[in-house]
Amino acid sequence: MLSLSHPSDRIGRAVREAQIDAILRLVPATAGIQILTAGVMVVSLRDTIDSFQLGLWFSVALLICFMRGARAIRLRQDPDYAQAHPARTGMICFIIVLLASLWLVPALFWFNAAGPEERLFMCVTMAALISAGSMTLVSLPQAALLYILTITVGCAALTIQVHSPTMFALVLVYAGVLTANMLGSARQFIAHTRDRIELREQGEIITLLRELETTGSGGLWELDGDLSIVKMSQELLDAMGLREDQVLNRHYSKLLDPAGQIQNLSTGMRRLFRDLEEGTPFRDRAIPSAEGQRWWSLSGKPIKDRQGRLVGWRGVASDITAARLSGNDSVRAARTDPLTGLANRLLIRELLEESVMQRWDAPVGCALFLVDLDRFKLVNDTLGHAIGDQLLVEVGRRLEQSVRDGGRVGRIGGDEFAVIWTEECDRDRLAAVAGQIVADLSRSFTVGAATLHVGATIGIAVYPFDGEMEEELMRSADLALYRAKEAGRGGHAFFERCMFEEAEDNRLLEQDVRQALNGDGLTLAYQPIIDAATGAVVGREALLRWRHPKRGDIPPDQFIPIIEDTGLIHQIGDWVIREACAEAVKWGEELRVAVNVSAAQLTGAGLAKTVLGALATTRLSPDRLELEVTESVFLGDDAATLASLERLRALGVRLVLDDFGKGYSSFGYLSRAQFAKIKIDQSFVRGAAEGARDCLAIVKAILALARGLGVETTAEGVETEEQARAMRRLGCGQLQGFHFGRPVEASQLSDDLNAPSRLIA
């Protein structure tokens, strides 16, 4: 109780911090009283004691009290300062003794020179100080005892100077009584504080014990501030097959991962280690055992002191090896897909970790199949989610029949399933398994009265070639699945290193394009559109360009898909429309500006609002703005697309159907959307100029259709005079291509911007 050293046990440290905190709470008030008392002392002695001595004494007292009060306030209000410069018992005692020693000066040096009234005031003050100190410092008995002893010396000196043995004896008795009462009160304070801390910790332990209700195997664990084990319940020791002397004072990582290998393979172990190091509470963190044969669920909460410093951990652990795969408790429920009864994403990740750990030092491998259903959305949209859910259940059953004992099947979300293959893993065998799965899932399903046809596309990652960790294999299989979808559904693809490099390159491009959008990296270039008969410029098409600071010019077909995938197309598309309209206002009144619009921009009324705002801001005539769309916009929801196009047409802008004839052409598009212009794809322009019969026939048909509907036509990609003559001869109204000019930035356009047209030489 009277030790000046910092306690070594955690409870003792917590009690000492509570003692110091109680002292700090009273410092501002006690410091103020000390200053007030010192001021009264100076006033009472000003006529009998040298002013320099009084001023020096009061200044020292004022400085000590002020610094003590300011530090106490900062310690309580500034956690960073408290952590860097914590209050220590020894320093507190030193300051208390120093402050008490100041009160010895009047008693030892000024008493004889003082008058009768001043002497009486000194005696009363010293008696009051010794009594007040025994009460205000009771929470820290070391400081209180030193303070009482110091002031007692002053009181004893006063009695000696008045030659009163009786008063001297009374002073000693009074000091003894105060000391006894102080020690008794301090003992009660410490006991009460310790009980309160232990009671709070018992409540936390009860809360943690509820974590063990799911299984009967497990117990409590506790770490100190250095993350070494200081306590482990006997139940947990028995479950782990260890003795207490084998775990106490060991760093947690040496117990959970002695070889330092599991954290390299297990996502759960890495997250656990990170949480423990960073002081982040965690719950139901599943990790494999060191030998890889069992799984443990850990929950833990950090123990922090009053300054928020991490001083330890307390938590529970339970063996969930059997519970996660069988039984009806919450552990298994958290790892089971409620719809199909298959393993869910959590269990699939754990099973994949387990397979990897069992093979990390073995010559055999394992594989991960990600199976994505084809045409499942159509089932949901046409027959409803109830039928779709029943179909997913049947797909799960059929997958298990396809895999049999060769692996474990799970549903990781939506219409995506996973298979962990643990048998022979050469590519021919895996390809055969993938082919069998595709064939089995391509056979018709009977759900109620409905006969359904879906299919499957599969991405395959193989350990250890495609990744040595669970998350790496998941990522690799996902990239392979994406590539398989690109190649055409109903097949499979193995992961290749180039897939990751391409994905990483796209990720970096995405970051760069976001920065370019916020800066000045994106620009517009304008390419002229020519009247085929006169050679005059009738408009310009605004084309988005990106000059990367390191890679140089990035082709649009490389960064536009990234913009669309990341959802930036709305933000960038709106900017393009506003910028193009602002530039077109500077041109002649008859020149139009054309802007490409993607299918993603046609969702909702946002594009119409952008166009209306751009026209209003720039005062550009609506019929001078052409919005170009491709046939792909009609592959989704035709009604929604047509409604969006109708909103745009109602604003007075001209709608242009770009690349007509290249995709899923339909004459119905032209009548329903009321396009003002058709642009003929450059592949047909090139073929027609070369005399290809099919291209000639298509171009003639498009031109005849356009004349019948009364819409303009533009031939794209005209690069030679021969192609230009061919298009003029066939009757195409407008021409566009490198033969008439390459896209240039606005600053490089002709200075004669007020001219209505410009002839091309």
Side-chain angles (χ1 to χ4, degrees), residues 44-61:
S44 65
L45 296 177
R46 67 183 184 278
D47 296 330
T48 56
I49 305 301
D50 180 62
S51 298
F52 175 77
Q53 295 182 31
L54 287 174
L56 179 62
W57 178 79
F58 182 75
S59 297
V60 173

Side-chain angles (χ1 to χ4, degrees), residues 670-681:
L670 300 177
S671 62
R672 285 183 291 171
Q674 299 185 31
F675 288 98
K677 182 192 291 188
I678 298 173
K679 299 187 77 172
I680 305 172
D681 184 68

Side-chain angles (χ1 to χ4, degrees), residues 261-262 264-266 288-295 321 324-325 349-366 406 408 420-423 463-464 468-470 473:
Q261 183 65 34
I262 299 179
N264 296 328
L265 304 175
S266 170
S289 61
E291 75 280 1
Q293 301 299 319
R294 289 194 290 177
W295 281 81
T321 306
R324 71 193 185 113
L325 300 176
R349 298 178 78 97
E350 292 178 0
L351 291 172
L352 187 56
E353 282 186 7
E354 189 175 293
S355 298
V356 167
M357 285 185 293
Q358 291 173 353
R359 291 165 173 79
W360 71 272
D361 59 350
V364 296
C366 61
R408 184 67 184 263
I420 301 175
W421 184 260
T422 54
E423 298 295 327
Y463 170 84
E468 296 185 349
M469 293 187 293
E470 162 268 323
L473 290 170

Side-chain angles (χ1 to χ4, degrees), residues 393-672:
V393 174
E394 294 301 320
V395 167
R397 292 174 183 171
R398 194 170 291 184
L399 267 176
E400 289 186 310
Q401 293 173 2
S402 299
V403 175
R404 292 188 175 86
D405 297 330
R408 184 67 184 263
V409 177
R411 176 174 175 244
I412 58 179
D415 61 345
E416 192 171 9
F417 293 78
V419 175
I420 301 175
W421 184 260
T422 54
E423 298 295 327
E424 186 179 357
C425 281
D426 64 272
R427 286 213 166 194
D428 291 340
R429 175 61 172 148
L430 295 176
V433 173
Q436 184 64 49
I437 291 175
V438 171
D440 289 343
L441 296 184
S442 297
R443 291 188 284 109
S444 61
F445 290 85
T446 300
V447 178
T451 300
L452 308 175
H453 295 86
V454 287
T457 305
I458 301 175
I460 308 172
V462 184
Y463 170 84
F465 310 106
D466 302 333
E468 296 185 349
M469 293 187 293
E470 162 268 323
E471 55 191 10
E472 291 178 348
L473 290 170
M474 279 284 189
R475 180 194 62 200
S476 298
D478 196 53
L479 290 173
L481 176 61
Y482 184 77
R483 179 60 56 87
K485 290 180 179 179
E486 284 185 332
R489 294 178 177 271
H492 68 272
F494 286 91
F495 172 77
E496 303 290 347
R497 181 66 187 176
C498 62
M499 298 178 187
F500 173 75
E501 294 172 353
E502 181 180 336
E504 182 66 12
D505 189 58
N506 287 340
R507 185 185 67 82
L508 295 176
L509 276 178
E510 178 187 338
Q511 293 180 351
D512 293 341
V513 78
R514 290 180 184 275
Q515 294 177 358
L517 178 61
N518 295 329
D520 298 324
L522 297 177
T523 59
L524 290 182
Y526 298 88
Q527 186 176 38
I529 302 173
I530 307 303
D531 185 281
T534 66
V537 177
V538 294
R540 296 184 177 98
E541 181 177 0
L543 301 170
L544 187 62
R545 293 292 183 262
W546 178 22
R547 175 159 292 178
H548 194 279
K550 295 181 179 178
R551 305 187 188 195
D553 291 332
I554 306 294
D557 59 355
Q558 186 174 350
F559 71 85
I560 293 296
I562 296 176
I563 290 175
E564 291 179 340
D565 290 342
T566 56
L568 293 173
I569 189 64
H570 295 283
Q571 186 177 359
I572 295 178
D574 293 351
W575 172 80
V576 169
I577 291 174
R578 292 193 297 268
E579 188 76 9
C581 290
E583 178 61 30
V585 170
K586 305 174 185 177
W587 306 342
E589 294 182 359
E590 296 181 3
L591 292 183
R592 299 190 180 105
V593 63
V595 177
N596 291 282
V597 176
S598 75
Q601 291 175 267
L602 291 175
T603 57
L607 181 59
K609 293 179 180 178
T610 298
V611 171
L612 182 61
L615 294 175
T617 302
T618 61
R619 298 181 182 275
L620 182 72
S621 176
D623 62 351
R624 292 182 59 195
L625 175 61
E626 295 183 343
L627 298 180
E628 298 185 1
V629 298
T630 62
E631 297 165 346
S632 62
V633 302
F634 297 101
L635 297 180
D637 186 356
D638 284 358
T641 299
L642 289 172
S644 181
L645 292 174
E646 181 59 29
R647 282 193 291 267
L648 294 170
R649 195 185 63 80
L651 296 176
V653 302
R654 292 164 53 89
L655 300 180
V656 179
L657 186 57
D658 196 9
D659 297 335
F660 186 74
K662 183 180 179 181
Y664 303 91
S665 301
S666 171
F667 294 158
Y669 303 158
L670 300 177
S671 62
R672 285 183 291 171

Side-chain angles (χ1 to χ4, degrees), residues 706-761:
R707 284 192 295 270
L709 293 174
V711 299
E712 297 176 354
T713 54
T714 299
E716 293 183 292
V718 179
E719 299 181 351
T720 65
E721 180 60 29
E722 181 183 359
Q723 294 174 359
R725 283 197 301 267
M727 291 300 104
R728 290 190 186 102
R729 190 167 54 249
L730 291 170
C732 189
Q734 298 176 358
L735 306 175
Q736 178 183 357
F738 289 168
H739 180 61
F740 304 103
R742 291 181 176 272
V744 296
E745 294 184 5
S747 60
Q748 298 175 326
L749 292 175
S750 171
D751 294 334
D752 188 15
L753 293 175
N754 293 321
S757 63
R758 179 169 63 89
L759 292 178
I760 299 297

